[in-house]
């Protein structure tokens, strides 16, 4: 009787299977959520570190871009200043041409005065060609035309002026001839070539087939010997050891490699501008910097790199600076001629 009454009481004290299962599921869910939270927190930390590293890289690249922009701005300011000077000289030349045209009209009936005026205009054109465009050929043609214009005048003062013109002509003929078009074309080809040559980090070692042929046995092999020789040749070609002159070649990221190639293009562009301006120091400094970068960052054993270095040495050996004459003696002689004509009138 006592046993039957105690059993229900004991059963009521024990938790049901449903409650136990629910409790287990709750615990599992809590553990799962805690694990997910820790995993998410770990990923957030990694993402934060990666973003900080990228941010530092972008800041460094931004500083380089700002430096390049500052250099470009300085060069643009210099170019604008030179353009203003050229415009002033062109305006002066136009005023001189208008004045000379008026002089032509006034001296139409005077043969000698007209010839002297034409010579003065040709000398002005020659001086402008030398100062503005450094065009020796055009200046030489203008001086020769002035000499031919004075040839019909069989007068002592005209002969004296022609002698002065001949000295100026000989001075221009003795100047070294610089083929600007050919040099500019070579710089353009060099720019295209530098855009394709590989970096040291992109260099792939190549198998030396001639060496493998030289290592072949002198006597022909047969049977098992030929079989083992073929296996040994394949094993040797699995790994190629190639000597690199620099023990630690610089490895550049794709972004830095892009900026390096753009810097090479920019240096070649400034070298071309310096070529047109006959600025030899800037011209050779830019080519020297390109040569240094090719030797430091690019694969010097690649055929295109060898071509680029040979072309750089050839371009650097050219002397592009010219000390152009001012034609001051001829202009002074023409002015003296004009004063003599005015006194005779």
């Amino acid at each position: 009787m006592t046993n039957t009454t105690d059993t229900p009481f004991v059963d009521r004290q024990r938790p049901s299977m449903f409650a136990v299962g629910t409790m287990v599921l709750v615990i599992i869910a809590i553990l799962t959520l805690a694990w997910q939270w820790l995993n998410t927190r770990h990923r957030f930390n990694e993402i934060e570190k990666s973003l900080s590293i990228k941010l530092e890289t972008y800041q460094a690249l931004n500083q380089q871009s700002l430096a390049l922009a500052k250099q470009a701005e300085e060069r643009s300011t210099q170019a604008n200043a030179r353009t203003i000077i050229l415009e002033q000289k062109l305006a002066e030349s136009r005023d001189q041409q208008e004045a000379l045209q008026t002089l032509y009209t006034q001296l139409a009936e005077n043969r000698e005065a007209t010839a002297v005026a034409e010579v003065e205009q040709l000398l002005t054109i020659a001086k402008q060609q030398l100062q503005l465009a450094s065009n020796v050929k055009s200046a030489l043609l203008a001086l020769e035309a002035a000499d031919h214009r004075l040839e019909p005048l069989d007068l002592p003062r005209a002969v004296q002026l022609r002698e002065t013109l001949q000295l100026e002509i000989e001075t221009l003929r003795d100047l070294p001839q610089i083929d600007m078009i050919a040099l500019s074309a070579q710089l353009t080809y060099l720019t295209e070539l530098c855009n394709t040559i590989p970096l040291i980090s992109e260099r792939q070692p190549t198998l030396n087939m001639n060496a493998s042929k030289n290592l072949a046995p002198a006597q022909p092999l047969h049977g098992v010997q030929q079989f083992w020789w073929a296996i040994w040749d394949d094993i040797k070609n699995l790994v190629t050891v190639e000597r690199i002159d620099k023990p630690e070649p610089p490895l550049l990221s794709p972004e830095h490699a892009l900026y390096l190639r753009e810097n090479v293009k920019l240096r070649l562009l400034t070298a071309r501008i310096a070529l047109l301006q006959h600025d030899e120091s800037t011209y050779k400094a830019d080519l020297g910097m390109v040569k240094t970068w090719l030797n430091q960052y690019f694969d010097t054993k690649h055929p295109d790199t060898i071509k680029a270095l040979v072309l750089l040495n050839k371009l650097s050996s050219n002397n592009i600076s010219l000390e152009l004459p001012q034609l001051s003696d001829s202009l002074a002689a023409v002015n003296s001629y004009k004063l003599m004509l005015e006194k005779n009138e």
Side-chain angles (χ1 to χ4, degrees), residues 23-103:
M23 183 63 68
V24 171
L25 291 176
V26 169
I27 293 172
I28 292 173
I30 292 172
L31 293 175
T32 303
L33 290 174
W35 178 81
Q36 290 181 351
W37 181 83
L38 292 175
N39 190 20
T40 305
R41 183 64 179 176
H42 180 67
R43 290 183 179 179
F44 281 156
N45 291 333
E46 291 181 350
I47 293 172
E48 185 178 359
K49 291 180 181 179
S50 177
L51 289 175
S52 63
I53 294 173
K54 290 183 178 180
L55 182 59
E56 292 177 356
T57 304
Y58 291 152
Q59 288 178 351
L61 294 176
N62 188 20
Q63 291 178 357
Q64 293 179 359
S65 300
L66 290 176
L68 291 176
K70 186 177 180 180
Q71 293 178 0
E73 185 177 359
E74 291 177 355
R75 292 182 182 272
S76 177
T77 303
Q78 295 176 359
N80 291 332
R82 292 175 181 175
T83 303
I84 293 172
I85 295 173
L86 291 177
E87 289 178 353
Q88 292 176 354
K89 291 184 178 180
L90 286 174
E92 293 176 359
S93 67
R94 289 173 184 171
D95 295 337
Q96 291 175 359
Q97 288 178 359
E98 292 177 358
L100 288 174
Q101 186 64 34
T102 304
L103 184 62

Coordinates of all heavy atoms in Angstrom, one line a residue, residues 23-103:
M23 N 16.0 21.3 -23.3 CA 17.2 21.9 -22.7 C 18.4 21.6 -23.5 O 19.3 22.5 -23.6 CB 17.3 21.3 -21.3 CG 18.5 21.9 -20.5 SD 18.2 23.7 -20.2 CE 16.8 23.6 -19.1
V24 N 18.6 20.4 -24.0 CA 19.8 20.1 -24.8 C 19.8 20.9 -26.1 O 20.9 21.5 -26.5 CB 19.8 18.6 -25.1 CG1 20.9 18.3 -26.2 CG2 20.0 17.8 -23.9
L25 N 18.7 21.1 -26.7 CA 18.6 21.9 -27.9 C 19.0 23.3 -27.7 O 19.7 24.0 -28.4 CB 17.3 21.8 -28.6 CG 16.9 20.4 -29.2 CD1 15.5 20.4 -29.7 CD2 17.9 20.1 -30.3
V26 N 18.5 23.8 -26.6 CA 18.8 25.2 -26.2 C 20.3 25.4 -26.0 O 20.9 26.4 -26.4 CB 18.0 25.6 -24.9 CG1 18.5 27.0 -24.4 CG2 16.5 25.7 -25.3
I27 N 20.9 24.4 -25.3 CA 22.3 24.5 -25.0 C 23.1 24.5 -26.3 O 24.0 25.2 -26.5 CB 22.7 23.4 -24.0 CG1 22.1 23.6 -22.6 CG2 24.3 23.3 -23.9 CD1 22.3 22.5 -21.7
I28 N 22.7 23.6 -27.2 CA 23.4 23.5 -28.5 C 23.2 24.8 -29.3 O 24.2 25.3 -29.9 CB 22.8 22.3 -29.3 CG1 23.2 21.0 -28.6 CG2 23.3 22.3 -30.7 CD1 22.6 19.7 -29.2
A29 N 22.0 25.3 -29.2 CA 21.8 26.6 -30.0 C 22.7 27.7 -29.4 O 23.2 28.5 -30.1 CB 20.3 27.0 -29.9
I30 N 22.8 27.7 -28.1 CA 23.6 28.8 -27.4 C 25.1 28.6 -27.8 O 25.8 29.6 -28.2 CB 23.4 28.8 -25.9 CG1 22.0 29.2 -25.5 CG2 24.4 29.7 -25.2 CD1 21.7 29.1 -24.1
L31 N 25.5 27.4 -27.8 CA 26.9 27.1 -28.2 C 27.2 27.4 -29.6 O 28.2 28.0 -30.0 CB 27.3 25.6 -27.9 CG 27.3 25.2 -26.4 CD1 27.6 23.7 -26.3 CD2 28.4 26.0 -25.7
T32 N 26.2 27.1 -30.5 CA 26.3 27.4 -31.9 C 26.4 28.9 -32.1 O 27.2 29.4 -32.9 CB 25.2 26.8 -32.7 OG1 25.1 25.4 -32.5 CG2 25.3 27.1 -34.2
L33 N 25.5 29.7 -31.5 CA 25.5 31.1 -31.6 C 26.8 31.7 -31.1 O 27.4 32.6 -31.6 CB 24.4 31.7 -30.8 CG 23.0 31.5 -31.4 CD1 21.9 32.0 -30.5 CD2 22.9 32.1 -32.8
A34 N 27.3 31.1 -29.9 CA 28.6 31.6 -29.4 C 29.8 31.4 -30.4 O 30.6 32.2 -30.6 CB 28.9 31.0 -28.1
W35 N 29.8 30.2 -31.0 CA 30.8 29.9 -32.0 C 30.7 30.8 -33.2 O 31.7 31.3 -33.7 CB 30.7 28.4 -32.4 CG 31.7 28.0 -33.4 CD1 33.0 27.7 -33.2 CD2 31.5 27.9 -34.8 NE1 33.6 27.4 -34.4 CE2 32.7 27.5 -35.4 CE3 30.4 28.1 -35.6 CZ2 32.8 27.4 -36.8 CZ3 30.5 28.0 -37.0 CH2 31.7 27.6 -37.6
Q36 N 29.5 31.0 -33.7 CA 29.3 31.9 -34.8 C 29.8 33.3 -34.5 O 30.4 34.0 -35.3 CB 27.9 31.9 -35.3 CG 27.5 30.6 -36.0 CD 26.0 30.6 -36.5 OE1 25.3 31.6 -36.2 NE2 25.6 29.6 -37.2
W37 N 29.5 33.7 -33.3 CA 29.9 35.1 -32.9 C 31.4 35.2 -32.8 O 31.9 36.2 -33.3 CB 29.3 35.4 -31.5 CG 29.6 36.8 -31.1 CD1 29.0 38.0 -31.4 CD2 30.7 37.2 -30.2 NE1 29.6 39.0 -30.8 CE2 30.7 38.6 -30.0 CE3 31.7 36.4 -29.5 CZ2 31.5 39.3 -29.2 CZ3 32.5 37.1 -28.7 CH2 32.5 38.5 -28.6
L38 N 32.1 34.2 -32.3 CA 33.5 34.2 -32.2 C 34.1 34.2 -33.6 O 35.1 34.9 -33.9 CB 34.0 33.1 -31.4 CG 33.7 33.1 -29.9 CD1 34.2 31.8 -29.2 CD2 34.4 34.3 -29.2
N39 N 33.5 33.3 -34.5 CA 34.0 33.2 -35.9 C 33.9 34.5 -36.6 O 34.8 35.0 -37.3 CB 33.3 32.1 -36.6 CG 34.0 31.8 -37.9 OD1 35.1 32.1 -38.2 ND2 33.2 31.1 -38.8
T40 N 32.7 35.1 -36.4 CA 32.4 36.4 -37.1 C 33.4 37.5 -36.6 O 33.9 38.3 -37.3 CB 31.0 36.8 -36.9 OG1 30.1 35.8 -37.3 CG2 30.6 38.1 -37.6
R41 N 33.6 37.5 -35.3 CA 34.5 38.5 -34.7 C 35.9 38.3 -35.2 O 36.6 39.3 -35.6 CB 34.5 38.3 -33.2 CG 35.4 39.3 -32.4 CD 34.8 40.7 -32.6 NE 35.6 41.7 -31.9 CZ 35.4 43.0 -31.9 NH1 34.4 43.5 -32.7 NH2 36.2 43.8 -31.3
H42 N 36.3 37.0 -35.4 CA 37.7 36.8 -35.9 C 37.8 37.2 -37.4 O 38.8 37.9 -37.8 CB 38.0 35.3 -35.8 CG 39.3 34.9 -36.4 ND1 40.5 35.3 -35.8 CD2 39.6 34.2 -37.5 CE1 41.5 34.8 -36.5 NE2 41.0 34.1 -37.6
R43 N 36.7 37.0 -38.2 CA 36.7 37.5 -39.6 C 36.7 39.0 -39.6 O 37.4 39.6 -40.5 CB 35.5 36.9 -40.3 CG 35.6 35.4 -40.6 CD 34.4 34.9 -41.4 NE 34.5 33.5 -41.6 CZ 33.6 32.8 -42.3 NH1 32.5 33.5 -42.8 NH2 33.7 31.5 -42.5
F44 N 36.0 39.6 -38.8 CA 36.0 41.1 -38.8 C 37.4 41.6 -38.5 O 37.8 42.6 -39.0 CB 35.0 41.6 -37.7 CG 33.6 41.6 -38.2 CD1 32.5 41.5 -37.3 CD2 33.3 41.6 -39.6 CE1 31.2 41.5 -37.8 CE2 32.0 41.6 -40.1 CZ 30.9 41.5 -39.2
N45 N 38.1 41.0 -37.5 CA 39.5 41.4 -37.2 C 40.4 41.2 -38.4 O 41.2 42.1 -38.7 CB 40.0 40.6 -36.0 CG 39.3 41.0 -34.7 OD1 38.8 42.1 -34.6 ND2 39.2 40.0 -33.8
E46 N 40.2 40.1 -39.1 CA 41.1 39.9 -40.3 C 40.8 40.9 -41.4 O 41.7 41.5 -42.0 CB 40.9 38.5 -40.8 CG 41.4 37.4 -39.9 CD 41.2 36.0 -40.5 OE1 40.5 35.9 -41.5 OE2 41.8 35.0 -40.0
I47 N 39.5 41.2 -41.6 CA 39.1 42.2 -42.6 C 39.6 43.5 -42.2 O 40.1 44.3 -43.1 CB 37.6 42.2 -42.8 CG1 37.1 40.9 -43.4 CG2 37.1 43.4 -43.6 CD1 35.6 40.7 -43.4
E48 N 39.5 43.9 -40.9 CA 40.0 45.2 -40.5 C 41.5 45.3 -40.7 O 42.0 46.3 -41.2 CB 39.7 45.3 -39.0 CG 40.1 46.7 -38.5 CD 39.7 46.9 -37.0 OE1 39.1 45.9 -36.4 OE2 39.9 48.0 -36.4
K49 N 42.3 44.2 -40.4 CA 43.7 44.3 -40.7 C 44.0 44.4 -42.2 O 44.9 45.2 -42.6 CB 44.4 43.0 -40.2 CG 44.4 42.9 -38.6 CD 45.1 41.6 -38.2 CE 45.1 41.5 -36.6 NZ 45.7 40.2 -36.2
S50 N 43.3 43.6 -43.0 CA 43.5 43.7 -44.4 C 43.2 45.1 -45.0 O 43.9 45.7 -45.8 CB 42.6 42.7 -45.2 OG 42.8 42.8 -46.5
L51 N 42.1 45.7 -44.5 CA 41.7 47.0 -44.9 C 42.8 48.1 -44.5 O 43.1 49.0 -45.2 CB 40.4 47.4 -44.4 CG 39.2 46.7 -45.0 CD1 37.9 47.1 -44.3 CD2 39.1 47.0 -46.5
S52 N 43.3 47.9 -43.3 CA 44.4 48.9 -42.8 C 45.6 48.7 -43.7 O 46.2 49.8 -44.1 CB 44.7 48.6 -41.4 OG 45.3 47.3 -41.2
I53 N 46.0 47.5 -44.1 CA 47.2 47.3 -44.9 C 46.9 47.9 -46.3 O 47.8 48.6 -46.9 CB 47.5 45.8 -45.1 CG1 48.0 45.3 -43.7 CG2 48.6 45.6 -46.1 CD1 48.2 43.8 -43.7
K54 N 45.7 47.7 -46.9 CA 45.4 48.2 -48.2 C 45.4 49.8 -48.1 O 45.8 50.5 -49.1 CB 44.1 47.7 -48.7 CG 44.2 46.2 -49.1 CD 42.8 45.7 -49.7 CE 42.9 44.3 -50.1 NZ 41.7 43.8 -50.7
L55 N 44.9 50.3 -47.0 CA 44.8 51.7 -46.9 C 46.2 52.3 -46.8 O 46.5 53.4 -47.5 CB 44.0 52.1 -45.6 CG 43.8 53.6 -45.3 CD1 43.1 54.2 -46.4 CD2 43.1 53.8 -44.0
E56 N 47.1 51.7 -46.1 CA 48.5 52.2 -46.1 C 49.1 52.1 -47.5 O 49.8 53.1 -47.9 CB 49.3 51.4 -45.1 CG 48.9 51.6 -43.7 CD 49.8 50.7 -42.8 OE1 50.5 49.9 -43.3 OE2 49.6 50.7 -41.5
T57 N 48.8 51.0 -48.2 CA 49.4 50.9 -49.6 C 48.8 52.0 -50.5 O 49.5 52.7 -51.3 CB 49.0 49.5 -50.2 OG1 49.5 48.5 -49.3 CG2 49.6 49.4 -51.6
Y58 N 47.5 52.2 -50.4 CA 46.9 53.3 -51.2 C 47.4 54.7 -50.9 O 47.5 55.5 -51.7 CB 45.3 53.2 -51.1 CG 44.7 52.0 -51.7 CD1 43.5 51.5 -51.2 CD2 45.3 51.4 -52.8 CE1 42.9 50.4 -51.8 CE2 44.7 50.3 -53.3 CZ 43.5 49.8 -52.8 OH 43.0 48.7 -53.4
Q59 N 47.7 54.9 -49.6 CA 48.2 56.2 -49.2 C 49.6 56.4 -49.8 O 50.0 57.5 -50.2 CB 48.3 56.3 -47.6 CG 46.9 56.4 -47.0 CD 47.0 56.5 -45.5 OE1 48.1 56.2 -44.9 NE2 45.9 56.8 -44.8
A60 N 50.4 55.3 -49.8 CA 51.8 55.4 -50.4 C 51.7 55.7 -51.9 O 52.4 56.6 -52.4 CB 52.5 54.1 -50.2
L61 N 50.7 55.0 -52.6 CA 50.5 55.2 -54.0 C 50.0 56.6 -54.2 O 50.4 57.3 -55.2 CB 49.5 54.2 -54.6 CG 50.0 52.7 -54.6 CD1 48.9 51.8 -55.1 CD2 51.3 52.6 -55.5
N62 N 49.1 57.1 -53.3 CA 48.6 58.4 -53.5 C 49.7 59.5 -53.4 O 49.7 60.5 -54.1 CB 47.5 58.7 -52.4 CG 46.8 60.0 -52.7 OD1 46.8 60.5 -53.8 ND2 46.1 60.4 -51.6
Q63 N 50.6 59.3 -52.4 CA 51.8 60.2 -52.3 C 52.6 60.2 -53.6 O 53.1 61.2 -54.0 CB 52.6 59.8 -51.1 CG 51.9 60.0 -49.8 CD 52.7 59.6 -48.6 OE1 53.8 59.1 -48.8 NE2 52.2 59.8 -47.4
Q64 N 52.9 59.0 -54.1 CA 53.6 59.0 -55.4 C 52.9 59.7 -56.5 O 53.5 60.4 -57.3 CB 53.9 57.5 -55.8 CG 54.8 56.8 -54.8 CD 55.0 55.3 -55.3 OE1 54.4 54.9 -56.3 NE2 55.8 54.6 -54.5
S65 N 51.6 59.5 -56.6 CA 50.8 60.2 -57.6 C 50.8 61.7 -57.4 O 50.9 62.4 -58.4 CB 49.3 59.7 -57.6 OG 49.2 58.3 -57.8
L66 N 50.8 62.1 -56.2 CA 50.9 63.6 -55.9 C 52.2 64.1 -56.3 O 52.3 65.2 -56.9 CB 50.6 63.8 -54.4 CG 49.2 63.6 -53.9 CD1 49.1 63.8 -52.4 CD2 48.2 64.5 -54.6
A67 N 53.3 63.3 -56.1 CA 54.6 63.8 -56.5 C 54.7 63.9 -58.0 O 55.2 64.9 -58.5 CB 55.7 62.8 -55.9
L68 N 54.2 62.9 -58.7 CA 54.2 62.9 -60.2 C 53.3 64.1 -60.7 O 53.7 64.8 -61.6 CB 53.7 61.6 -60.7 CG 54.6 60.4 -60.5 CD1 53.9 59.1 -61.0 CD2 55.9 60.6 -61.2
A69 N 52.2 64.3 -60.0 CA 51.3 65.4 -60.5 C 52.0 66.7 -60.2 O 51.9 67.7 -61.1 CB 50.0 65.4 -59.7
K70 N 52.8 66.9 -59.1 CA 53.5 68.1 -58.9 C 54.6 68.3 -59.9 O 54.8 69.4 -60.4 CB 54.1 68.0 -57.5 CG 54.8 69.3 -57.0 CD 55.3 69.2 -55.6 CE 56.0 70.6 -55.2 NZ 56.5 70.5 -53.8
Q71 N 55.3 67.2 -60.3 CA 56.3 67.4 -61.3 C 55.7 67.8 -62.7 O 56.2 68.6 -63.4 CB 57.1 66.1 -61.5 CG 57.9 65.7 -60.3 CD 58.6 64.4 -60.5 OE1 58.5 63.7 -61.5 NE2 59.4 64.0 -59.5
A72 N 54.5 67.1 -63.0 CA 53.9 67.5 -64.2 C 53.4 68.9 -64.2 O 53.4 69.6 -65.2 CB 52.7 66.5 -64.4
E73 N 52.9 69.4 -63.0 CA 52.5 70.8 -62.9 C 53.6 71.7 -63.1 O 53.5 72.8 -63.8 CB 51.8 71.0 -61.6 CG 51.2 72.3 -61.4 CD 50.5 72.5 -60.1 OE1 50.5 71.5 -59.3 OE2 49.9 73.6 -59.8
E74 N 54.8 71.4 -62.5 CA 55.9 72.3 -62.7 C 56.3 72.3 -64.2 O 56.7 73.4 -64.7 CB 57.1 71.7 -61.8 CG 56.8 71.9 -60.4 CD 58.0 71.3 -59.5 OE1 58.9 70.7 -60.1 OE2 57.9 71.5 -58.3
R75 N 56.4 71.1 -64.8 CA 56.7 71.1 -66.2 C 55.7 71.9 -67.1 O 56.0 72.6 -68.0 CB 56.8 69.7 -66.7 CG 58.0 68.9 -66.1 CD 58.1 67.5 -66.7 NE 59.2 66.8 -66.1 CZ 60.5 66.8 -66.5 NH1 60.8 67.6 -67.6 NH2 61.4 66.1 -65.9
S76 N 54.4 71.8 -66.7 CA 53.4 72.5 -67.4 C 53.6 74.0 -67.2 O 53.4 74.8 -68.2 CB 52.0 72.1 -66.9 OG 51.0 72.8 -67.5
T77 N 53.9 74.4 -66.0 CA 54.2 75.9 -65.8 C 55.3 76.4 -66.6 O 55.3 77.4 -67.2 CB 54.5 76.1 -64.3 OG1 53.4 75.6 -63.5 CG2 54.6 77.6 -64.0
Q78 N 56.4 75.6 -66.7 CA 57.5 76.0 -67.5 C 57.2 76.0 -69.0 O 57.6 77.0 -69.7 CB 58.7 75.0 -67.3 CG 59.3 75.0 -65.9 CD 60.4 73.9 -65.8 OE1 60.6 73.2 -66.7 NE2 60.9 73.8 -64.6
A79 N 56.4 75.0 -69.4 CA 55.9 75.0 -70.8 C 55.0 76.3 -71.1 O 55.1 76.9 -72.2 CB 55.2 73.8 -71.2
N80 N 54.2 76.6 -70.2 CA 53.3 77.8 -70.4 C 54.2 79.1 -70.4 O 53.9 79.9 -71.3 CB 52.3 77.9 -69.2 CG 51.3 76.8 -69.3 OD1 51.0 76.3 -70.4 ND2 50.7 76.4 -68.1
A81 N 55.2 79.1 -69.6 CA 56.0 80.3 -69.6 C 56.8 80.4 -71.0 O 56.9 81.5 -71.6 CB 57.1 80.3 -68.5
R82 N 57.2 79.3 -71.5 CA 57.9 79.3 -72.8 C 56.9 79.6 -73.9 O 57.3 80.3 -74.8 CB 58.6 77.9 -73.0 CG 59.7 77.6 -72.1 CD 60.3 76.3 -72.3 NE 61.4 76.0 -71.4 CZ 62.0 74.8 -71.3 NH1 61.6 73.8 -72.1 NH2 63.0 74.6 -70.5
T83 N 55.7 79.1 -73.8 CA 54.7 79.5 -74.8 C 54.4 80.9 -74.8 O 54.2 81.5 -75.9 CB 53.4 78.7 -74.5 OG1 53.7 77.3 -74.4 CG2 52.4 78.9 -75.5
I84 N 54.3 81.6 -73.6 CA 54.1 83.0 -73.6 C 55.2 83.8 -74.2 O 55.0 84.7 -75.0 CB 53.9 83.4 -72.1 CG1 52.6 82.9 -71.5 CG2 53.9 85.0 -72.0 CD1 52.5 83.1 -70.0
I85 N 56.5 83.3 -74.0 CA 57.6 84.0 -74.6 C 57.6 83.8 -76.1 O 57.8 84.8 -76.9 CB 58.9 83.4 -74.0 CG1 59.0 83.7 -72.6 CG2 60.1 83.9 -74.8 CD1 60.2 83.1 -71.9
L86 N 57.2 82.6 -76.6 CA 57.1 82.4 -78.0 C 56.0 83.2 -78.6 O 56.1 83.7 -79.7 CB 56.8 80.9 -78.3 CG 58.0 79.9 -78.0 CD1 57.6 78.5 -78.2 CD2 59.2 80.2 -78.8
E87 N 54.9 83.3 -77.9 CA 53.8 84.2 -78.5 C 54.2 85.6 -78.6 O 53.9 86.3 -79.5 CB 52.6 84.0 -77.6 CG 51.9 82.7 -77.7 CD 50.7 82.6 -76.7 OE1 50.5 83.5 -75.9 OE2 50.0 81.6 -76.8
Q88 N 55.0 86.1 -77.6 CA 55.5 87.5 -77.6 C 56.4 87.7 -78.8 O 56.3 88.7 -79.5 CB 56.2 87.8 -76.3 CG 55.3 87.9 -75.1 CD 56.0 88.2 -73.8 OE1 57.3 88.2 -73.8 NE2 55.3 88.4 -72.7
K89 N 57.3 86.7 -79.0 CA 58.2 86.8 -80.2 C 57.5 86.7 -81.5 O 57.8 87.4 -82.4 CB 59.3 85.7 -80.1 CG 60.2 85.9 -78.9 CD 61.3 84.8 -78.9 CE 62.3 85.0 -77.8 NZ 63.4 84.0 -77.8
L90 N 56.4 85.9 -81.5 CA 55.6 85.8 -82.7 C 54.9 87.1 -83.0 O 54.8 87.6 -84.1 CB 54.6 84.7 -82.6 CG 55.2 83.2 -82.8 CD1 54.1 82.2 -82.5 CD2 55.8 83.0 -84.2
A91 N 54.4 87.7 -81.9 CA 53.7 89.0 -82.1 C 54.7 90.1 -82.6 O 54.4 90.9 -83.5 CB 53.1 89.4 -80.8
E92 N 55.9 90.0 -82.0 CA 57.0 90.9 -82.5 C 57.3 90.7 -84.0 O 57.5 91.7 -84.7 CB 58.2 90.8 -81.6 CG 58.0 91.3 -80.2 CD 59.3 91.0 -79.4 OE1 60.3 90.5 -79.9 OE2 59.3 91.4 -78.2
S93 N 57.4 89.4 -84.3 CA 57.7 89.1 -85.7 C 56.5 89.6 -86.7 O 56.8 90.1 -87.8 CB 57.9 87.6 -85.9 OG 56.7 86.9 -85.7
R94 N 55.3 89.5 -86.2 CA 54.2 90.0 -87.0 C 54.2 91.5 -87.2 O 54.0 92.0 -88.3 CB 52.9 89.5 -86.4 CG 52.6 88.0 -86.5 CD 51.4 87.7 -85.7 NE 51.1 86.2 -85.7 CZ 50.2 85.6 -84.9 NH1 49.5 86.3 -84.1 NH2 50.1 84.3 -85.0
D95 N 54.6 92.2 -86.1 CA 54.7 93.6 -86.2 C 55.8 94.0 -87.2 O 55.7 94.9 -88.0 CB 55.0 94.2 -84.8 CG 53.8 94.0 -83.9 OD1 52.7 93.8 -84.4 OD2 54.0 94.0 -82.6
Q96 N 56.9 93.2 -87.1 CA 58.0 93.5 -88.0 C 57.7 93.2 -89.4 O 58.1 94.0 -90.3 CB 59.2 92.7 -87.6 CG 59.9 93.1 -86.2 CD 61.0 92.1 -85.8 OE1 61.3 91.2 -86.5 NE2 61.6 92.4 -84.7
Q97 N 56.9 92.1 -89.6 CA 56.5 91.8 -91.0 C 55.5 93.0 -91.6 O 55.6 93.3 -92.7 CB 55.7 90.5 -91.0 CG 56.7 89.3 -90.9 CD 55.9 88.0 -90.9 OE1 54.7 88.0 -91.0 NE2 56.7 86.9 -90.7
E98 N 54.6 93.5 -90.7 CA 53.8 94.6 -91.1 C 54.6 95.8 -91.5 O 54.3 96.5 -92.5 CB 52.7 94.9 -90.1 CG 51.7 93.7 -89.9 CD 50.7 94.0 -88.7 OE1 50.9 95.1 -88.1 OE2 49.8 93.2 -88.5
A99 N 55.6 96.1 -90.6 CA 56.4 97.2 -90.9 C 57.2 97.1 -92.1 O 57.4 98.0 -92.9 CB 57.4 97.5 -89.7
L100 N 57.7 95.8 -92.4 CA 58.5 95.6 -93.6 C 57.6 95.7 -94.8 O 58.0 96.1 -95.9 CB 59.1 94.2 -93.5 CG 60.3 94.1 -92.6 CD1 60.8 92.6 -92.5 CD2 61.5 95.0 -93.0
Q101 N 56.3 95.2 -94.7 CA 55.4 95.3 -95.8 C 55.1 96.8 -96.2 O 55.1 97.2 -97.4 CB 54.1 94.6 -95.5 CG 53.1 94.5 -96.6 CD 53.6 93.7 -97.7 OE1 54.3 92.7 -97.5 NE2 53.3 94.1 -99.0
T102 N 55.0 97.6 -95.1 CA 54.8 99.1 -95.4 C 56.1 99.6 -96.1 O 56.0 100.5 -97.0 CB 54.6 99.8 -94.1 OG1 53.4 99.2 -93.4 CG2 54.3 101.3 -94.3
L103 N 57.2 99.2 -95.6 CA 58.5 99.6 -96.2 C 58.6 99.2 -97.7 O 59.1 100.0 -98.5 CB 59.7 99.1 -95.4 CG 61.1 99.6 -95.8 CD1 61.2 101.1 -95.7 CD2 62.1 98.9 -94.9

